Amino acid sequence: MLKLIIFKELREIILSTKFAATFGVCSLLIIMAFYTGIKNYQSSVQEYNASKAALFSQFETAKDWREVPRLTVFLPPNPLASLVMGISNDIGRAAVIYDSGYQAFRDSVYSVNPVFAVFRFLDLEFIFLIVLSLFAILFAFDAINGEKERGTLRLSFANSMPRATYIFGKITGSFLALALPLLIPVMTGLLLLPLMEVPLSVNEWIRLLIFIICGLLYLGVFLTLSVFISSITKRSSSSFLFLLIIWVCSVLIIPRAAVLLSGNLITVPSTSKIYYQRVQMQMNNIQELLKRANEQINKIAQEMAASGDTSPEAQKRYTDKMSEVYKNLQEENDKKISAYISRLHEERYNKQKQQERLALGISRISPATVFTLAATGLCGTSLELRNNYEEKVLTYSGIYSDFISGKQSQPAQDNIVKETVNPREIPDFYYQPKGFSDILKDALPDITILLVFNIILFCGAFIAFLRYDLR
Amino acid sequence: MTESINAGTNNTIVLEADKLTKRYEDGVLALDELSFTIKSSEIYAMLGANGAGKTTTINLFLNFIEPTSGEARVMGIVTHKEPLLAKEKLAFVSENVMLYQNFTAIQNLDYFAKLGGKKNYTRDDYRNVLLRVGLQEEAHNKRLKGFSKGMRQKCGIAIAILKDAPAILLDEPTSGLDPKAGYEFIQLLDNLRSEGKSILMSTHDIFRAREIADTVGIMNQGKLVMQAGRDELTDKDLEQLYMKYMAGHMEAAA
């Protein structure tokens, strides 16, 4: 009987106009997302290679490593990022490294093409998050109360059919009917990847498949939610309205409200505030520094006067001593300021992390956030991308700094005809994304939450239907 | 059709209401110790105004609600104790049969026949039963979206016939049917009776009830206020009795 209900549900949906419309829209959007994603990836690869080549060419004229003041490193394109973009378009793809450290990232996709910042790209995450979740509601908002309105519920239950079988069949059938218009274009899109020569490793294929499973789980949440709401409301128009409100809250309001709330609860000092504090500290210190310098200089002057030795050697000795005092005080001051700035930055970083954790924690009550986090985590475009990239650039800037210091400390050979520097000697910048097990470990809590949402809502729909008034 | 009719002998009690009482949570007494029996090859027409308790009675037989006291029995099976078993012996046609609009008539029949446990019917069986209820052949493979109420009603009856249950419950089956469709429907009920089916029909249509029913029961405010055999009633009597009990027009009867 379960099979019969599932097939009936599947057949009823497939024969409906809404299915035809859904299938058409889904196919168009998904294949378009794959195609444009692949094209974007290919142009990113070209741009990446061109930028690297251009970087080397800029060293061609340099005769000495002292003429190489800075180096730009680039974030290599990630094929999965073209399908689930996450923050990959927001962060700068290039980081400029000086011998003293690195500057902020620059040349983000959106800064280069601001029009995309307004309209954003169409990617698989957007299609799942917005379009397909709405379709899930459209498929199931009248699953129970609609059947009652049409009179088919009474007619069905005039037969010896257990309620549990019916609701289980109904949810399963609706889910399959929803998965079908999704999986066919997704499979077509996946086929495009090797056909258009996008190099995906086994690990990336697996991550892509897990992402699709996450998408199905996310749709399952809205589907079971729709069946649940349909089981606790009398009219299909009411359930549609409730579901629309829940969708708006879940997809649009909760994630933004959570960020706002956490922003109000935890204040992160701005960079300009840190700069102001640094200037304040420097000004305060300079007074102190001058006072201490004067004291020590006076002491040396008194010492000099007391000794009565006015020979040039003695004068030089005292001048050196004074210079030493200045130098020591300056170094001490620099250390103090540097420690203070580090502490300010660390505090800012910790606050930022705290704020981020709080925002994500609150917004996880929304399945939309959970799905976004799981999807971007799996495709390597989550907030972790920036942290990971920053960490790698920091490590590399140390390596580069050592390299360039070593090169620049070599004595200049003025009497020898100089050859140009060999940029191949510069240590390579490797951006190693997180390993598969780490990515999976990070995404697992969100996948589990999606699963829990499904189980809870399925049980809710199940129990609500067992108590449903069939009359 | 491949399956045989499963009806009892003429004296078998197929449907039975025994002091059936239903009081809803809001305190409304919908049914007050209703008792009647329907034997095989018998049609029982329940007459009454809206809210008299007709649909509640049918809902109790279908176990859509549980009785406050008393029992509804189908072939001796107490419906609220063994609902799934009782429903195997019941077929049901509702007032406004809608069915699945995206399915054709045959697809609807196929689904509901299988749901009723009849898995061996062929397309020919479906065609035959649809022709029997008067649905023209060109409509058999059309989606129900464009069907009139009468055509849908015919499909509903075809579903009930296909279930081949000994008892059929009809909730206002003739409401909205044109006179021709109404006449054809009465003919069909007569045929079903002759096949041994027991039919409980709730209706407002006193003349059709008089025409087809073996027993007529008039309900008012949850009570069976009058019950009489067809031979005991003339059309005029029935109309007067109906007005008297249904609307409380005591003087009219006097």
Side-chain angles (χ1 to χ4, degrees), chain A residues 28-39:
Chain A
L28 186 74
L29 286 179
I30 292 171
I31 292 171
M32 212 161 82
F34 268 101
Y35 184 77
T36 52
I38 291 169
K39 282 283 168 196

Side-chain angles (χ1 to χ4, degrees), chain A residues 331-349:
Chain A
E331 273 176 10
E332 189 189 323
N333 187 47
D334 285 349
K335 271 186 191 167
K336 219 170 164 182
I337 288 174
S338 172
Y340 179 67
I341 292 166
S342 294
R343 191 168 57 80
L344 288 180
H345 278 291
E346 197 180 324
E347 272 175 16
R348 181 174 189 274
Y349 178 81

Side-chain angles (χ1 to χ4, degrees), chain A residues 1 4-5 8 11-12 15-17 147 149-163 166 469-471, chain B residues 24 55 59 62 64-65 84 87-88 90 92 96 98-100 102-103 107 110-112 114-116 143 145 159 163 171:
Chain A
M1 192 168 277
L4 178 70
I5 310 279
K8 187 278 293 177
R11 194 190 230 179
E12 196 199 357
L15 290 172
S16 66
T17 320
E147 289 253 10
E149 283 169 351
R150 291 189 290 271
T152 43
L153 198 63
R154 290 185 82 199
L155 200 56
S156 296
F157 278 93
N159 294 292
S160 47
M161 177 172 53
R163 288 190 185 212
Y166 184 80
D469 186 356
L470 295 170
R471 289 173 293 154
Chain B
Y24 288 111
T55 304
N59 284 339
L62 289 167
F64 289 163
I65 46 174
L84 296 184
K87 283 180 194 178
E88 283 178 12
L90 284 173
F92 170 61
N96 194 9
M98 293 297 284
L99 303 178
Y100 293 105
N102 289 322
F103 286 7
Q107 283 170 339
D110 183 53
Y111 169 66
F112 282 104
K114 283 176 179 156
L115 204 59
R143 288 195 193 187
K145 269 177 186 168
I159 288 167
K163 192 170 178 186
D171 192 5

